[in-house]
């Protein structure tokens, strides 16, 4: 029986689409390509998510390997990108409904420590019974260690958890540990419908 719902953050709670976020800083196609390639999801991004680099170190590292003409833009984007990290439409409303139905809610995210700053971007953060952030534990999904640490920290049984993530390998890693998993595609009512499917299976 599912008692706990675990949500990824990027592309489940907040919309992580680098090109959309970058478009708030420039409309130049060449600069958009540059930002997507060299800032978002690059090695510094991964190091920030893993909690092995500070924001300042990441900015210096990016600037050390890109042409000087981009430095100002990079600094601005790194300082302000989270202002444009906006909610996935409909997720909060569905999660609120599931909270009212009695499910315990958790977040499991590959994210930098900045998540504690931009958690105000969606009221869904405040619905969580627990948050587990990669940069706090220096582990990234799909490393099995991060799922196991989270289950242990919150005292959860794998078979009582249903995990939503937009990245298939992250869901597969959870499933290998006995956690139920669903690859999230931002469909209308997808969270509610998925939970109800599990409820139906359980009732049979
Ligand atoms: Mg994600």
């Amino acid at each position: 029986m599912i008692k706990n719902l675990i949500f990824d953050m990027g592309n489940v709670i907040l919309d992580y689409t680098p090109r959309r976020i970058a478009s708030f800083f420039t409309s130049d196609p060449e600069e958009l390509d540059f930002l997507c390639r060299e800032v978002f999801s690059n090695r510094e991004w991964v190091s920030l998510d893993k909690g092995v680099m500070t924001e300042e170190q990441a900015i210096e590292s990016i600037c050390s390997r890109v042409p000087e003409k981009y430095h100002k833009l990079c600094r601005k984007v790194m300082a302000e990108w989270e202002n444009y990290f906006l909610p996935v439409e409909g997720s909060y409303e569905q999660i609120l409904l599931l909270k009212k139905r009695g499910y315990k809610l958790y977040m499991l995210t590959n994210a930098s420590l900045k998540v504690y700053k931009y958690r105000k971007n969606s009221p869904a953060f405040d619905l969580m019974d627990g948050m587990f952030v990669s940069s706090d534990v220096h582990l990234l999904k799909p490393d099995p260690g991060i799922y196991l640490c989270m289950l242990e920290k919150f005292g959860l049984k794998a078979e009582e958890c249903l995990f939503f993530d937009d990245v298939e390998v992250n869901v597969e890693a959870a499933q290998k540990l006995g956690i139920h998993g669903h690859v999230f595609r931002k469909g209308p009512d997808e969270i509610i419908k998925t939970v109800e499917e599990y409820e139906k299976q359980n009732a049979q």
Side-chain angles (χ1 to χ4, degrees):
M1 186 182 170
I2 302 296
K3 296 180 179 171
N4 311 301
L5 305 175
I6 306 173
F7 299 97
D8 169 33
M9 185 263 297
N11 288 332
V12 177
I13 308 285
L14 298 176
D15 181 15
Y16 184 67
T17 308
R19 209 168 178 87
R20 184 190 62 74
I21 297 172
S23 71
F24 286 95
F25 296 90
T26 179
S27 55
D28 177 346
E30 188 256 338
E31 286 187 346
L32 283 170
D33 287 343
F34 166 82
L35 288 172
C36 291
R37 191 177 64 244
E38 301 295 342
V39 176
F40 295 107
S41 312
N42 210 306
R43 70 185 99 135
E44 290 83 5
W45 205 264
V46 176
S47 294
L48 286 167
D49 283 359
K50 205 169 179 186
V52 294
M53 203 177 238
T54 65
E55 288 286 330
E56 199 44 50
Q57 285 170 335
I59 292 166
E60 290 314 312
S61 176
I62 293 169
C63 288
S64 73
R65 63 177 172 75
V66 304
E68 201 175 344
K69 64 174 180 172
Y70 294 120
H71 288 191
K72 199 174 158 194
L73 178 64
C74 287
R75 288 181 189 280
K76 188 170 171 60
V77 170
M78 287 298 285
E80 299 175 16
W81 72 272
E82 70 274 12
N83 297 337
Y84 309 100
F85 195 21
L86 304 174
V88 171
E89 203 179 326
S91 287
Y92 165 69
E93 290 77 7
Q94 293 177 77
I95 294 169
L96 177 63
L97 203 65
L98 291 165
K99 176 123 187 145
K100 288 178 180 166
R101 289 190 196 171
Y103 288 97
K104 291 283 183 191
L105 309 177
Y106 299 90
M107 191 182 288
L108 174 60
T109 174
N110 282 356
S112 75
L113 293 173
K114 238 187 186 183
V115 68
Y116 296 108
K117 184 176 169 196
Y118 61 68
R119 60 172 289 157
K120 65 178 181 348
N121 291 14
S122 167
F125 285 85
D126 291 333
L127 299 177
M128 298 294 147
D129 294 282
M131 255 176 84
F132 206 79
V133 178
S134 60
S135 47
D136 281 326
V137 292
H138 311 301
L139 288 167
L140 293 171
K141 293 176 287 183
D143 184 330
I146 193 167
Y147 304 87
L148 293 171
C149 283
M150 178 184 175
L151 295 176
E152 193 185 332
K153 178 173 180 182
F154 298 121
L156 308 177
K157 289 181 185 156
E159 67 274 17
E160 293 179 349
C161 298
L162 173 57
F163 173 54
F164 293 84
D165 196 301
D166 62 308
V167 177
E168 210 164 330
V169 291
N170 292 346
V171 172
E172 285 167 1
Q175 287 170 327
K176 279 185 190 151
L177 298 169
I179 298 168
H180 299 276
H182 176 81
V183 180
F184 185 64
R185 298 287 181 229
K186 297 185 193 167
D189 299 326
E190 185 178 344
I191 297 170
I192 293 279
K193 281 181 188 163
T194 305
V195 172
E196 288 178 347
E197 275 303 309
Y198 275 88
E199 285 173 349
K200 255 188 246 167
Q201 282 173 24
N202 193 55
Q204 279 167 3

